[in-house]
Amino acid sequence: MMRKVKPYLTTRKLHPENQESPIHFLRSLSTPANYFYRRNHFSYPELSQSSLWIQIGGLVSSPTFLHFDDLLAMPAKSLVVPLECAGNKRAHFSPKVHGEQWEEGAISQGKWTGVPLRYILDRAGVLQNAKEVVFEGADFGKKEDVDKVIPFKRSLPLEKAMHPDTLIAYKYNDQPLSFKHGYPFRLIVPNWYAMASVKWLRKIKVIPGAFEGPFQTNDYVFYPRKKDDIGKKPVTLLNVNSAIQQPLDYSILDTGTYKIKGIAWTGEGNITSIQLSFDNGETWVNANAEQNADSPYSWVNWSYDWKADKKGEYTIQSKATDSAGRTQPLKAYWNRKGYGYNAVSKIHVKIE
Amino acid sequence: MMRKVKPYLTTRKLHPENQESPIHFLRSLSTPANYFYRRNHFSYPELSQSSLWIQIGGLVSSPTFLHFDDLLAMPAKSLVVPLECAGNKRAHFSPKVHGEQWEEGAISQGKWTGVPLRYILDRAGVLQNAKEVVFEGADFGKKEDVDKVIPFKRSLPLEKAMHPDTLIAYKYNDQPLSFKHGYPFRLIVPNWYAMASVKWLRKIKVIPGAFEGPFQTNDYVFYPRKKDDIGKKPVTLLNVNSAIQQPLDYSILDTGTYKIKGIAWTGEGNITSIQLSFDNGETWVNANAEQNADSPYSWVNWSYDWKADKKGEYTIQSKATDSAGRTQPLKAYWNRKGYGYNAVSKIHVKIE
C-alpha cells in the first residue's frame, strides 16, 4: 500500500516535452535528475553509435572527431551550475505574453562534470579570425517561423567559449547524463540562460562572424515592443532573481512562526543580499543566506523566521541583489517573447 | 534509455497531499487511477484489520458492523461518476481567494462499483425521525479553526443518502480502490461536489437533525461577503461547467485547422449544449458533444474543428448548458472560500 508522498514535474506540453521542476518542494543544492525541468524545442533525437562522437570543425587548424572515450580521458572539472530557461516565470508578465506559461520551476541546478571546452578548442587550434563558436545538438524538427527542418543550433562569442568554466559535460550529480538532459554530451555555459547549454551536442564549429540561426536571431531575443523589432537585444546572462519556495502563494496559515524559504541566483558575480518585505515594500529586512564559497555559480538558499502573530492578509516580497550591483526591479522588463522575468518575487498569505 | 513522455500530477501541497490531475493531457472517459487528483484534509490514515469494517448506527432498528466480505456479497452497481473538488478552478477567482490554488484539474472521473447505500440502510432499518446520515472517514487531524483533533465527517440529507445511485464503492475502474482514494470503501455521491464522497469510510450514523461538523457548517459553505457570513449557503450540487483541454492557454500556433477539445459536466440533469466563441462572445457556435446515454453522470467530451487561417491573437471561450436550464455565467459567483467557480472557460492563442 503506497502512502509515500512526493512532488511531480508540472506538465506544460507533451510534444515536445516541456515540464517544470517542483521547485517549491525541493530544497537541495542539487536537483535530483528526475526533478530537473525539461525544456525541448523538438522531439527527442534518436541515438546511434555516431552519437558518441563530437565533430570539431570550421576555423581550426586540426578539424577532428572526438569519441566519448576520448573525452573521458581528458582533464575533467566539476561545477555546481543552475540552468534556467530564459522563459522562466513567463506566466507572471503583465500584459500577458504568449508562449509556454512557465511559472517558477524552469530552473534546476546540480553538479556538472566534463571537459573544459577551452581544452578541446586549444587542441584543435583556433585560427586567428575566429569570432564565434557554433554548437549543434542532435535534436531537429520544423520550427513555426522557419519553413524547413532544422537542428537546434546556438553560438557563443569566442571569449565565452574559451572561458575555463564552459564545459562539455558528460556527468550530472556524478552519474552519466540522463538521455532527456543531453546524453552523452551537454554544453554547460555558466551564467547564461540555458538555451546556450546545448543538449545532445554533436558538432562544434568555429566561425569568423556572427551566427544567424533562428534560435539566435529570432528566438532568445528581447523585443521591448509589441509590434516591431526596434530596440531588440540578444538574451545572454541570467538576470538577478529569487523565488519564494515556502509558504505557497495564497496559502492559509495559523498564527505562529514560519520559516520563509527561497533561493536567489544571478548571472553576474554573486548574490550579496536577499531582502524581504512584509509591508508592501515600505521596509525590508535581510534574509539569512547560505553562501557556498566553493560553488561560485550556485544559487543561494535563504530563509527567514517570520513571526505571524497577527491575523490578516499579508504580501511577502523577496528582492535579491548581486555583486554587479543589480537588484530585482519592482516591475519586470516587459518584452514580446517573455524572457528574463525577474521582478521582485511576491506571495500572499492569510493568517487565521 | 527512457524516452517515453507522460504527463504528471501537479503538486499543490505535500502534507496533506493535494495534487491536480493533468486534465489537459487526458482524453479518456475514465481517468487512470494514478492520474486521479488527490485532495486530502489530513495525513493519510493508518489501516488495520478494523479498517475492513463499517459501523452502521444511530437511528436504525438494527445497528451493525459490516465486513468487506459482506459488502462483496451484496448486490453491486457500477456507475461512471466524475468527482470534482468544490475548490476546482479557485485560482481563477477575481478578486483572488486564499486557499489551495487549484487550476482546472481538481476533477477526475471513472467507473465506481459498489453497493447502493440504500440497500444497507434498508437492511439496518431507518427509524421514522431520521433526517440526515453522517459519514466518517478514517482520516483525522487538527483543523486550523478547530482546537482539537477531529476526523473527516460529512452528512447527507436522508433523501440523497437513499438515492439508488449513492454507493459505497470498493472498486474503481474494475480494480480495488487504491489506498490514496479511499481503500477499502469510499462513499460515492453522484452530482455533489466531492467533499461528500467520503474516503476510508468507517462509520455511518443516522441522526434526527442537521449535522454541525466543521466540514459541514464552516468549510464547504458559500460566503458571498468578505467580512461577514450574511447570505451563506451550503455547497452541494456541482455547477454546470466546462474546461478547454486543447489547445493550451497562451499557446502559439501555426495557421491551420485545430481540433479544440474539452469536457463539460453538471450536477443537475445532463449537458444539453456546449457553445464556443472566437470573437469575445459576440457569436457562439455549437461544439460536437459525445453523449454517453448509458452513463448519465459522465462528463461529455466535446470538440470543434477550428480553421485558424488568419494570423493574430484570439480568445476562445466555452459555455456549457444543462437540462436544468443552467448555463455557465460570464462572471463567476465570488465567494470568500472560493468554491464552485464555473464562469465561461477561456483560453488565449496566437496564430503566427
Side-chain angles (χ1 to χ4, degrees):
Chain A
M1 230 157 282
M2 220 276 289
R3 293 170 213 188
K4 230 179 62 184
V5 175
K6 57 175 190 183
Y8 293 96
L9 298 172
T10 299
T11 310
R12 298 272 165 237
K13 194 184 281 174
L14 285 181
H15 307 289
E17 184 176 19
N18 285 334
Q19 311 223 39
E20 204 162 305
S21 178
I23 189 79
H24 296 272
F25 305 98
L26 304 173
R27 185 71 177 159
S28 163
L29 284 175
S30 278
T31 310
N34 59 326
Y35 283 130
F36 207 98
Y37 80 95
R38 302 175 188 164
R39 194 274 180 262
N40 292 284
H41 298 86
F42 299 122
S43 302
Y44 287 108
E46 290 298 317
L47 293 190
S48 66
Q49 282 306 312
S50 71
S51 313
L52 291 174
W53 294 89
I54 299 182
Q55 181 182 7
I56 323 282
L59 295 177
V60 292
S61 49
S62 312
T64 186
F65 283 85
L66 291 172
H67 188 265
F68 190 67
D69 295 336
D70 298 331
L71 266 91
L72 288 187
M74 292 178 181
K77 189 170 197 170
S78 291
L79 292 168
V80 174
V81 176
L83 294 186
E84 183 186 14
C85 174
N88 192 25
K89 302 191 184 184
R90 180 180 289 125
H92 297 340
F93 273 106
S94 169
K96 293 281 288 175
V97 171
H98 285 78
E100 216 66 314
Q101 294 298 295
W102 299 109
E103 295 185 0
E104 306 200 296
I107 181 171
S108 300
Q109 159 175 297
K111 177 181 166 191
W112 304 94
T113 300
V115 180
L117 174 64
R118 174 179 200 135
Y119 179 87
I120 286 164
L121 290 176
D122 280 345
R123 269 183 32 149
V126 174
L127 298 178
Q128 193 119 40
N129 52 338
K131 277 286 187 323
E132 290 195 351
V133 185
V134 180
F135 304 91
E136 180 176 330
D139 50 330
F140 62 88
K142 226 175 141 293
K143 196 174 174 305
E144 289 93 11
D145 45 4
V146 180
D147 260 347
K148 53 182 181 182
V149 168
I150 52 166
F152 185 74
K153 280 195 204 184
R154 285 276 315 177
S155 78
L156 287 177
L158 186 62
E159 190 190 353
K160 185 67 182 171
M162 295 297 273
H163 188 286
D165 291 342
T166 298
L167 303 181
I168 299 182
Y170 48 78
K171 279 190 177 175
Y172 177 72
N173 288 351
D174 300 316
Q175 299 294 318
L177 284 192
S178 65
F179 170 72
K180 290 198 171 179
H181 296 291
Y183 175 89
F185 311 114
R186 178 170 197 169
L187 188 69
I188 295 295
V189 185
N191 285 339
W192 280 48
Y193 279 108
M195 71 283 158
S197 293
V198 176
K199 289 178 289 217
W200 310 291
L201 183 62
R202 209 53 72 84
K203 289 185 193 169
I204 297 173
K205 190 177 176 186
V206 181
I207 62 169
F211 176 64
E212 303 261 328
F215 293 105
Q216 194 87 21
T217 57
N218 182 354
D219 287 356
Y220 301 113
V221 172
F222 291 109
Y223 299 99
R225 291 157 62 116
K226 192 169 165 84
K227 299 282 187 199
D228 63 48
D229 295 354
I230 293 170
K232 72 175 180 173
K233 59 173 201 270
V235 173
T236 57
L237 297 180
L238 299 178
N239 284 333
V240 62
N241 218 330
S242 67
I244 301 172
Q245 293 173 293
Q246 291 286 338
L248 296 173
D249 200 12
Y250 288 103
S251 52
I252 300 172
L253 304 171
D254 273 330
T255 53
T257 297
Y258 291 93
K259 205 174 265 302
I260 316 293
K261 298 181 207 173
I263 57 175
W265 65 96
T266 182
E268 282 197 61
N270 47 51
I271 293 293
T272 50
S273 81
I274 299 109
Q275 296 192 297
L276 303 183
S277 174
F278 298 88
D279 56 6
N280 299 308
E282 284 186 38
T283 61
W284 294 84
V285 292
N286 285 312
N288 302 307
E290 300 165 20
Q291 296 287 353
N292 314 285
D294 51 344
S295 296
Y297 300 110
S298 171
W299 66 45
V300 168
N301 278 336
W302 56 261
S303 65
Y304 181 82
D305 289 318
W306 180 47
K307 226 166 134 175
D309 44 14
K310 248 178 76 185
K311 296 185 184 196
E313 296 183 8
Y314 296 86
T315 300
I316 304 177
Q317 299 181 74
S318 75
K319 182 171 71 175
T321 300
D322 68 19
S323 56
R326 306 187 306 170
T327 291
Q328 288 182 258
L330 285 177
K331 193 159 165 49
Y333 167 71
W334 189 92
N335 61 98
R336 190 168 81 224
K337 293 208 173 191
Y339 297 124
Y341 186 98
N342 78 328
V344 162
S345 309
K346 206 176 272 191
I347 61 163
H348 311 79
V349 298
K350 187 176 185 179
I351 305 294
E352 274 195 349
Chain B
M1 230 158 282
M2 218 279 288
R3 293 170 213 189
K4 230 178 65 183
V5 175
K6 58 175 191 183
Y8 293 96
L9 298 172
T10 299
T11 309
R12 297 272 164 238
K13 193 183 283 175
L14 285 181
H15 306 288
E17 183 175 19
N18 284 334
Q19 311 223 40
E20 205 163 303
S21 178
I23 190 81
H24 296 271
F25 305 98
L26 303 173
R27 186 70 177 160
S28 161
L29 284 175
S30 277
T31 310
N34 58 327
Y35 283 129
F36 207 98
Y37 80 95
R38 301 176 188 163
R39 196 276 180 259
N40 291 284
H41 298 86
F42 299 122
S43 302
Y44 287 109
E46 290 300 316
L47 292 191
S48 65
Q49 282 306 313
S50 72
S51 313
L52 292 173
W53 295 89
I54 299 181
Q55 180 181 7
I56 323 282
L59 296 177
V60 292
S61 50
S62 312
T64 185
F65 284 85
L66 291 172
H67 187 267
F68 191 68
D69 295 337
D70 298 331
L71 266 91
L72 289 187
M74 292 178 180
K77 189 168 196 171
S78 291
L79 292 169
V80 173
V81 175
L83 294 187
E84 182 186 16
C85 174
N88 193 24
K89 302 190 185 184
R90 179 181 288 127
H92 297 340
F93 273 106
S94 171
K96 294 280 289 177
V97 171
H98 285 78
E100 217 66 315
Q101 294 298 295
W102 299 109
E103 294 185 0
E104 305 198 297
I107 181 170
S108 299
Q109 159 175 300
K111 178 182 166 190
W112 305 93
T113 301
V115 180
L117 174 63
R118 174 180 198 133
Y119 179 85
I120 286 164
L121 290 176
D122 279 346
R123 268 187 28 152
V126 175
L127 298 179
Q128 192 120 37
N129 52 338
K131 278 284 188 323
E132 291 195 351
V133 184
V134 180
F135 304 91
E136 180 176 329
D139 50 331
F140 62 89
K142 224 176 140 294
K143 195 174 175 302
E144 290 93 11
D145 45 6
V146 179
D147 260 346
K148 53 183 182 181
V149 168
I150 52 166
F152 184 73
K153 280 195 202 183
R154 286 276 315 177
S155 77
L156 288 177
L158 185 63
E159 190 188 352
K160 185 67 182 173
M162 294 297 274
H163 189 286
D165 291 343
T166 299
L167 303 181
I168 298 181
Y170 49 77
K171 279 189 178 177
Y172 177 71
N173 288 351
D174 298 318
Q175 299 294 319
L177 284 192
S178 64
F179 170 71
K180 290 198 170 180
H181 295 291
Y183 176 87
F185 310 114
R186 178 171 197 168
L187 188 69
I188 295 295
V189 185
N191 285 339
W192 280 47
Y193 280 106
M195 72 283 156
S197 293
V198 176
K199 289 180 288 221
W200 308 292
L201 182 62
R202 209 54 71 83
K203 290 186 192 167
I204 297 173
K205 189 175 176 186
V206 181
I207 61 171
F211 175 63
E212 302 262 326
F215 294 105
Q216 194 87 21
T217 56
N218 181 356
D219 286 357
Y220 301 114
V221 172
F222 292 109
Y223 299 98
R225 292 157 63 117
K226 193 170 165 80
K227 300 282 186 197
D228 63 48
D229 295 355
I230 293 170
K232 72 176 181 173
K233 59 174 201 266
V235 172
T236 58
L237 296 180
L238 299 178
N239 284 332
V240 63
N241 218 330
S242 67
I244 301 172
Q245 294 173 294
Q246 291 286 336
L248 294 174
D249 200 12
Y250 287 104
S251 51
I252 300 172
L253 304 170
D254 273 330
T255 53
T257 298
Y258 291 93
K259 204 172 267 298
I260 317 291
K261 298 181 205 174
I263 56 175
W265 65 95
T266 182
E268 283 197 61
N270 46 51
I271 293 293
T272 51
S273 83
I274 299 109
Q275 294 191 301
L276 303 182
S277 173
F278 299 86
D279 56 7
N280 299 308
E282 283 185 39
T283 60
W284 294 85
V285 293
N286 285 313
N288 302 306
E290 300 165 20
Q291 297 286 353
N292 314 287
D294 51 347
S295 296
Y297 300 109
S298 171
W299 65 44
V300 168
N301 278 337
W302 57 260
S303 66
Y304 180 81
D305 289 319
W306 180 47
K307 228 165 133 177
D309 45 13
K310 249 177 75 184
K311 295 184 185 197
E313 296 183 7
Y314 296 86
T315 300
I316 305 177
Q317 299 181 75
S318 75
K319 182 171 72 176
T321 300
D322 68 19
S323 57
R326 305 187 306 171
T327 291
Q328 288 182 258
L330 286 179
K331 192 157 169 47
Y333 165 70
W334 189 93
N335 60 100
R336 191 167 80 225
K337 293 209 172 191
Y339 297 123
Y341 186 99
N342 78 327
V344 162
S345 309
K346 205 177 274 192
I347 61 164
H348 311 79
V349 299
K350 186 176 186 177
I351 304 295
E352 275 195 348

